[in-house]
Amino acid sequence: MRLRYSPIYSSLLSNLSSSFKQTSLLCNPKAKIFLLRSQTKRTIMSAVNFEKPRQVIKKVLANSQEEGVGANVRRSIGRPELRNLDPFLLLDEFEVSAPAGFPDHPHRGFETVTYMLHGSFTHQDFAGHKGTIGTGDVQWMTAGRGIVHSEMPAGEGIQKGLQLWINLSSKDKMIEPRYQELQSKDISQAEKDGVEVRIIAGEAFGVQSPVYTRTPTMYMDFTVKPGAKLQQPISENWNSFVYILEGEGVFGSEDSSPAASHYCLVLSPGDGLNVWNKSAKPLRFVLVGGQPLNEPVVQHGPFVMNTRAEIQKTMEDYYFGRNGFEMAKQWNSQK
Ligand code: FJE
Ligand code: FE
């Protein structure tokens, strides 16, 4: 099935250690005070009380809308109230049953990150790349200069996941497409004080994901047990948000009102996020952060460039099968 600017697709087209010798220090009363001070400093640092904890500055409920062909998505980033959280362009929580899905469509100028929460999705592209991702798997696709692909549910019943679109900088928009695929079992996991994390990109609890992020990005899937608290550092000047999957949590300040599933919380600048689970059930959410590109964004559905002229050129490239879209001419996904 092939779609080129069909009306169905028009809606998208519109992140001390002291080396002094203790003996000599202890002989000297002044040095002893110094030693105590440096130990105090170290204790404060390891308790990671953030200098500038991030706060929730915007709360957006991701209401369901139709997308693709017969598919429902809860869009948060990308909806009118939350157009562009640089470098993020879109976040959809999808719940799709066959025959609905996202048949043959193009992308240029950004990355799509698909994270399966339940069930499986099959992906086929115009270069013969084909695969199925299941619960807990991640496909990190750098569309670069161009991909045409289909993304369709593979299992029976409702297939759920998240799809995040991350913009690429002008110098990277026309790079060769690339995939990074992680099976659930290969995703780094860590646990601390009642908090479990699956590290899709970046670092948490001293554990690093193998994913290469061309636009520097962090992407964590946290589960916080009832009564537990999380403190997660985030690069100071990055934009970041939380999307709640399950349960209820208190984000930013201990006295703020709890937020529940399907809410997207945009965070203020700062060096880290504090989260409390004061409820009786587990709290699961993703925390995503990225370095802003600070470049103009011109989006025409699945094409995201810097200028209108580049969008015009992209539509021509797609239509005529040029500059990365050569294989689009003949290709149709297989049933
Ligand atoms: C797309 C319409 C679309 N959200 N979430 C137009 F639906 C899509 C698209 C998706 C998508 C795919 C998955 Cl697997 C999950 C999604 C939109 O494929 F890219 C355009 N251009
Ligand atoms: Fe797609």
Side-chain angles (χ1 to χ4, degrees):
M1 188 167 175
R2 161 134 234 149
L3 292 167
R4 283 198 189 213
Y5 320 122
S6 76
I8 296 160
Y9 278 69
S10 63
S11 59
L12 250 161
L13 290 168
S14 52
N15 153 320
L16 173 88
S17 87
S18 151
S19 57
F20 298 103
K21 291 217 167 60
Q22 272 208 326
T23 44
S24 63
L25 278 166
L26 290 171
C27 302
N28 177 337
K30 276 186 186 163
K32 199 171 174 182
I33 292 163
F34 177 78
L35 182 72
L36 286 170
R37 282 212 182 114
S38 67
Q39 279 177 336
T40 311
K41 187 171 172 192
R42 212 183 319 164
T43 309
I44 290 167
M45 280 165 65
S46 69
V48 277
N49 280 321
F50 301 120
E51 255 171 48
K52 201 174 153 197
R54 289 183 181 242
Q55 302 297 329
V56 176
I57 52 171
K58 198 165 183 172
K59 228 172 125 168
V60 176
L61 177 62
N63 281 315
S64 207
Q65 61 183 76
E66 212 181 296
E67 196 45 278
V69 175
N72 286 310
V73 300
R74 288 179 177 270
R75 182 157 301 160
S76 44
I77 296 163
R79 60 187 305 119
E81 310 94 279
L82 199 50
R83 231 335 46 113
N84 193 327
L85 186 66
D86 187 11
F88 305 110
L89 301 159
L90 174 143
L91 180 71
D92 279 355
E93 180 184 5
F94 56 94
E95 283 195 24
V96 182
S97 305
F102 308 95
D104 310 12
H105 61 275
H107 293 280
R108 176 182 277 182
F110 60 100
E111 302 187 295
T112 66
V113 182
T114 309
Y115 181 36
M116 289 307 297
L117 297 172
H118 175 82
S120 46
F121 244 70
T122 294
H123 160 268
Q124 295 179 46
D125 83 3
F126 68 168
H129 185 99
K130 187 176 173 173
T132 299
I133 53 170
T135 307
D137 298 348
V138 173
Q139 185 201 55
W140 196 291
M141 181 184 93
T142 307
R145 65 213 298 251
I147 285 275
V148 181
H149 71 171
S150 71
E151 296 152 287
M152 301 300 281
E156 275 184 24
I158 294 179
Q159 320 293 308
K160 281 192 200 187
L162 292 177
Q163 190 170 92
L164 175 70
W165 291 11
I166 308 172
N167 205 1
L168 286 166
S169 71
S170 56
K171 68 173 190 335
D172 292 331
K173 284 190 178 292
M174 293 299 281
I175 60 176
E176 280 297 309
R178 165 177 188 200
Y179 292 92
Q180 297 175 85
E181 265 152 357
L182 288 180
Q183 286 188 18
S184 184
K185 64 173 173 48
D186 302 320
I187 291 176
S188 317
Q189 300 200 32
E191 210 215 303
K192 202 171 101 182
D193 305 331
V195 181
E196 287 169 22
V197 60
R198 309 186 81 236
I199 303 145
I200 296 164
E203 188 188 312
F205 301 168
V207 179
Q208 177 87 41
S209 157
V211 167
Y212 174 65
T213 61
R214 201 160 271 280
T215 300
T217 304
M218 69 183 284
Y219 191 152
M220 310 295 165
D221 172 2
F222 283 108
T223 302
V224 184
K225 291 197 172 123
K229 180 191 176 185
L230 163 71
Q231 296 185 295
Q232 173 62 38
I234 303 171
S235 299
E236 182 113 33
N237 55 343
W238 287 17
N239 286 324
S240 67
F241 66 89
V242 160
Y243 186 78
I244 304 168
L245 297 169
E246 267 176 55
E248 272 190 13
V250 173
F251 295 83
S253 303
E254 200 165 1
D255 57 358
S256 58
S257 54
S261 47
H262 312 305
Y263 272 93
C264 180
L265 314 178
V266 179
L267 305 178
S268 67
D271 56 349
L273 175 68
N274 296 315
V275 181
W276 296 262
N277 182 355
K278 300 187 174 201
S279 79
K281 291 181 185 160
L283 160 69
R284 186 177 179 194
F285 64 92
V286 295
L287 170 63
V288 180
Q291 187 171 51
L293 298 168
N294 296 312
E295 290 180 7
V297 176
V298 182
Q299 179 169 358
H300 189 67
F303 305 135
V304 183
M305 302 301 285
N306 297 108
T307 65
R308 289 186 62 169
E310 286 166 355
I311 289 289
Q312 184 60 38
K313 173 93 168 35
T314 299
M315 292 199 286
E316 288 167 19
D317 285 349
Y318 179 53
Y319 189 81
F320 294 110
R322 294 181 194 145
N323 296 312
F325 285 119
E326 286 78 3
M327 286 178 290
K329 281 181 173 172
Q330 329 281 340
W331 183 79
N332 286 290
S333 60
Q334 279 157 18
K335 276 273 166 197

